[in-house]
Amino acid sequence: MIQYIFRRLMYTLPLLLGVNILTFFLFFVVNTPNDMARMQLGQKHVTEQAVNKWKVEHGYDLPLFLNTERRSFKQITETVFYQKSIKLFAFEFGVSDSGRDIGADIKQRMWPSLAIALPSLLLGLLVNIFAALMMVLFRHSYLEFWGVVACVVIMSISALFYIIGGQFLFSKLLKLVPISGFGYGIDTLKFLILPIVISVVSGLGSGGRWYRALFIEEVEKDYVVTARAKGLSETQTLFRHVLGNAMIPILTGVVVVLPLLFMGSLIMESFFSIPGLGSYTIDAINRQDFAIVRSMVFLGSVLYVIGLLLTDICYTLVDPRVKLL
Amino acid sequence: MPLGMHLIQGVVSMANSVLSVKGLSVQFQTHSEKVYAVDNISFDIFESETFGLVGESGSGKSISALAVLRLLPRSAQMSGDHVYFKTQDLLTLTETGMCKIRGRRIAMIFQDPMIALNPVKSIGSQIAEVIKIHFNLTAPDIHDRVLTLLRQVEIPSPESRINDYPHQFSGGQLQRIMIAAALAGEPDLLIADEPTTALDVTIQAQILTLLKSIQDKVGMSLWLISHDLALVSTVADRVAVMLKGCIVEVAPTMQLFKQPKHPYTQTLLAALPSFDSCSADTVLTRNILLEVKNIRISYPVRKGIFNRVVSHIKAVDGVSFSIQEGKTLALVGESGCGKTTLGKGLLNLVADVEGQVLWSGKDINGLKGDSLRRMRSNIQIIFQDPYSSMNPRMLVGQIIDEGMRSLHPQLSAKKRQAKVAELLQQVGLPVECAMRYPHEFSGGQRQRICIARALAVQPKLIICDEPTSALDVSVQDKIIVLLKSLQRHYGISYLFITHDLAVVAEMADELAVMYQGKIVESGPVYQVLNDPQQPYTQRLLNAVPKIVWD
Amino acid sequence: MILLISSVSIGVLLRNHDGLKRPLKKIAANKSAMLSMIILLFFLAVGLLDSIHFRAEGQRSSGVISVLDYCAKPLWQHTEKTYSAPFSAYLYSKEYITQDGGDKVWAFPRLQFGGSHLTNPESEKTSDLLSLLMTGLSKGLMLCMAGVGLRGLFVGKKSEQSARRYCPGFVCITISILIVGVAGLMELSMYYHIFGTDKVGEDVFYQTIKSIRTGLVIGSLTTFIMLPLAVIFGILAGFYRGWVDDLIQYIYTTLNSIPSVLLIAASILMVQVYMANHPESFTNLESRADLRLLFLCLILGVTSWTGLCRMLRAETLKLREMGYVQAAKVLGVKPFGILLQHILPNVMHIILIAVVLDFSALVLAEAVLSYINIGVDPSTYSWGNMINGARLEMAREPVVWWPLIAAFVFMFILVLTANLFADAVRDAFDPRRSQYGQ
């Protein structure tokens, strides 16, 4: 097991290096630091000095890959690539273009993100499974037919509609919950309930449909007939046999996104002004703060890779057929 | 008691009939029409009796068993006069009532134990489940009962294996576990739906013996469903023959075999391959076409941090044989013995083949590129599954034409077209078939098209990888006749890979028996079949179900 | 250019349909599928009309208008001052109006165009609306009759049976209803702003219709970019295994591990920087917007091919062990021939299903991306931009709701029909499902 995890970790290194090089290429080669400086300082009437000053302040004044002015190993370390990209591996995110410490920001902002993303995920999972089970239990009936229709309709509506509509209805008209914002302690719940409900509802369409497909696939397998031939009722078969088997793909699908919950949801957080990583990223995009975007890209891929690893481990725990090699 | 008495008593009184089916029909609604899968069948199964139901695939035999237990898929509709289990009519019983019958009164085992057990639950819990539903027992009692059942079906060291999962058992052991789960409810009737079809010959015999001995001990009735007439004849008291959803004949076993009334039963019996057909006067003095010397094929096993190759699984382990021009060598063995891998190895379809493959004295092993393609027209292959061996998106004409186009590019389109027509006629299909798609044909017809495709490039040797095992008995026979006539006509050699000794007797001149990657015995067919020297060959021969005439 | 690409892609898709009559018949037999297909085709027609540009002097600043603009001239020429509600004859905000007598009144002023033919809107509006609707509907009806008549003439030459098979009655009915409805709407929109006007007085109905093209372009162009990547890489990885497989797997896992929104954001930011620093290449606003749209499709394509690629790889791995692929090898068919003859046609259903399913996802994604300012250019007509703009309007008192609802309704119809159609396609092409059905 430990050997396996170690080997998987070794595999992740080239992956992350690939991500790193790709982002580096995007941010520093396609557009040079000079371009960025001009962008930040305004388009017109920028003097050469101002650009250079900005570059020095933000550490972009070094050569990209090889610093020929330095000796031995500083030739490599004193470069933009080393300073800005390699250091990410040690989770040293550096400072943002506006001068804030990105690492500290991330640490502070990931908890609100988690507070909204985790309940949304778990609640959504429960609701989706319940809806799918109901549809499978009453398959070939009108309930299933209209359930599927409802799912298609729900998934055809833009998530933005749920958010805007929900805010309008519950906050503005009914005044049940605040429109947006975030609080701590008991207040949190008040702010969180609407975004959570909305994300559950907007995910119900595709989630319910997908889980139903998984369940139906299992229901048609031979072991279900065996179970029925043993004298189990339809419902017992569904819960004792089908659910367990269908949970394997569902669980592993969920585990992949588990680490990414820290990243939060972009639109949810920005609509509800929740000070999480999602809104942090959006703000950075709107302010064109490249340092933050770059850090978030790297963080996101690290979390995804961890998710992949967790998925593999999870597989071996829930499915007796899978053995780690 | 003479066997005929059962029938007479059954007509006179219903007292000792366990299951009495009258006028049962099952229909499936497709987009355009209603299809009767089971059409108005009636039969009785008596106490402690073994009732055999025989029919080809698609004849509706499994559907009728599922219908009796009311386990049909929801798209099916069933109707009938009555289905009496003892005194209860199963057609009118409530679903809750049915749950009390299933598993407790009537149990069922299925064809493929590999997929009939829940893969993520331990086998112990799957057997215990039956006991939990139907009996009011404490957990330790249930545990003991499961162990007893496992012992009864002869699973070695059940104490240590009770918590294992299905994938940790072999096919034969899984079928034993299925039987244990079926017996757990102490049923009065056990339905066995093709219980041995998915298993190897030697294991088939063991499972059948087990079923029979348990039936003797417990005294339950057994309803055995199978396509294999010979197998049914060894265990059944009475046999019913099913054709296209109808039962065409029911009779005590002996009577059915000696005086079959219905023409379909007669053709079924006539199609049964038997050992008598092999001739002793095979002359083996012709030129050697292909000689295989000490072939080894192995799959690497990777392990460790760097995924290094730590060992090899030897699929084929030092095999040598030779095939003569215009003759047939049969390669016999059970699943997993490496016979299919060997066949593919000869064609360069698997990597890492060690050893020599001499074609007319020239080593063709490991050829690449153009020299390999030139060799291709000499050796062709026919696969087991006629459904996956043709591209569903191509016309039959294109399929047959494909090889000619790539290996004989000098032929003009017109010539190739004429050749396709000629080939179709030779394999017994109308010429118009060229413009149709594979899915429009039955299994046997598809196998004919595959033969035509192989013949198109004028090979000298055709490797037949279980060409008849996916087909019904009556169709099997026709394909073998076709292959033999083509051999006479073209003088082709066959390497006939199979697990079915009866087919071998009819088809082959020489026989090689393969076991765990090695050839354990070889020689002329007549000699090996009638005087097997090796214990494995003897076991294999003994396991083949033969019709007992007395 | 975009017209060319979309028509080529449709052509490619249609060509692949040949020889697959069974699933096509199945789709044709499915009513909801046919219904959604007709609506989709209608959307497509609008999009195409909007893609054919020509030069018309004195019409607009740039001098280039599309056929759709030409047809719907009143829609974009009738601009009001600011907001007005649907079917309203008045502005949405009060103003000082100089009356005939010269005294000023604080009131809702009349619109310049919307309902301007009425003298007394309060009493006349309902009946006028109804009569306009009726004329519109009857015009549509007449058009339908003409169509049916033409068809009758045309079909009369062919056998009656074939006509019935390919055009079931309800398809005609749907088309007729659609034509009648559209004619009604068009008649109304000539005299009123049926979805109201936005902040600068532009007709919302016009904006919504113009957005159709953006949605379609994003959906189809992205698919067009993603498809070759996914198909070539997926099939090669599955067929050749070994280092090719390792490399391709590495590429798509790497791409996959970057959160796609962030990758899109990063790339769009880069384009913005590039455009900001090279203003000389982008002289007018429209070419800028077009480039950004193109680039967005490119990025979306690059981020979305991995899923299909993985599916195709898995399927190819399965197919290469199939009897017919092995037989083709033994028959001496070259690897390239096997890929083309045996593998590609047998993964076509997966490709088709993925394409249709992705389409609706992309239309929805556009709205979200535009909302976070990494979608299409703010000057491009798109539902995402409309929603984005409408967000602030929801906070106004009284609420300005029509642009939002209009955008959502049109997007909903497009996505819903695409989804329904995708379902039908999947049911018809998925071999497992079709077998089970029989």
Side-chain angles (χ1 to χ4, degrees), chain B residues 55 87 277 388 526 542:
Chain B
T87 52
S277 54
S388 70
Y526 186 78
N542 287 334

mmCIF file of all heavy atoms in Angstrom, chain B residues 55 87 277 388 526 542:
data_model
loop_
_atom_site.group_PDB
_atom_site.id
_atom_site.type_symbol
_atom_site.label_atom_id
_atom_site.label_comp_id
_atom_site.label_asym_id
_atom_site.label_seq_id
_atom_site.Cartn_x
_atom_site.Cartn_y
_atom_site.Cartn_z
ATOM 1 N N GLY B 55 -33.537 -27.299 -25.275
ATOM 2 C CA GLY B 55 -33.871 -26.475 -26.433
ATOM 3 C C GLY B 55 -32.663 -25.652 -26.824
ATOM 4 O O GLY B 55 -31.725 -25.502 -26.039
ATOM 5 N N THR B 87 -50.197 -26.355 -3.947
ATOM 6 C CA THR B 87 -51.603 -25.961 -4.043
ATOM 7 C C THR B 87 -51.773 -24.474 -4.344
ATOM 8 O O THR B 87 -52.881 -24.000 -4.534
ATOM 9 C CB THR B 87 -52.324 -26.265 -2.732
ATOM 10 O OG1 THR B 87 -51.563 -25.667 -1.672
ATOM 11 C CG2 THR B 87 -52.442 -27.760 -2.506
ATOM 12 N N SER B 277 -17.496 -41.583 -35.030
ATOM 13 C CA SER B 277 -17.253 -41.107 -36.390
ATOM 14 C C SER B 277 -15.783 -41.059 -36.768
ATOM 15 O O SER B 277 -15.454 -40.879 -37.918
ATOM 16 C CB SER B 277 -17.885 -39.741 -36.578
ATOM 17 O OG SER B 277 -17.428 -38.892 -35.574
ATOM 18 N N SER B 388 -18.719 -10.856 -32.892
ATOM 19 C CA SER B 388 -17.741 -9.773 -32.785
ATOM 20 C C SER B 388 -16.672 -9.879 -33.868
ATOM 21 O O SER B 388 -15.789 -9.049 -33.933
ATOM 22 C CB SER B 388 -17.077 -9.792 -31.413
ATOM 23 O OG SER B 388 -16.237 -10.913 -31.313
ATOM 24 N N TYR B 526 -7.892 -41.412 -33.518
ATOM 25 C CA TYR B 526 -8.463 -42.708 -33.150
ATOM 26 C C TYR B 526 -7.727 -43.289 -31.953
ATOM 27 O O TYR B 526 -8.331 -43.742 -30.979
ATOM 28 C CB TYR B 526 -8.353 -43.655 -34.346
ATOM 29 C CG TYR B 526 -9.036 -44.960 -34.115
ATOM 30 C CD1 TYR B 526 -10.433 -45.038 -34.221
ATOM 31 C CD2 TYR B 526 -8.319 -46.099 -33.789
ATOM 32 C CE1 TYR B 526 -11.078 -46.234 -33.997
ATOM 33 C CE2 TYR B 526 -8.957 -47.293 -33.563
ATOM 34 C CZ TYR B 526 -10.338 -47.367 -33.672
ATOM 35 O OH TYR B 526 -10.978 -48.540 -33.445
ATOM 36 N N ASN B 542 -13.549 -39.002 -19.760
ATOM 37 C CA ASN B 542 -14.598 -39.517 -18.879
ATOM 38 C C ASN B 542 -15.645 -38.467 -18.567
ATOM 39 O O ASN B 542 -16.793 -38.780 -18.283
ATOM 40 C CB ASN B 542 -13.988 -40.018 -17.564
ATOM 41 C CG ASN B 542 -13.250 -41.305 -17.796
ATOM 42 O OD1 ASN B 542 -13.572 -42.043 -18.729
ATOM 43 N ND2 ASN B 542 -12.260 -41.586 -16.967
#
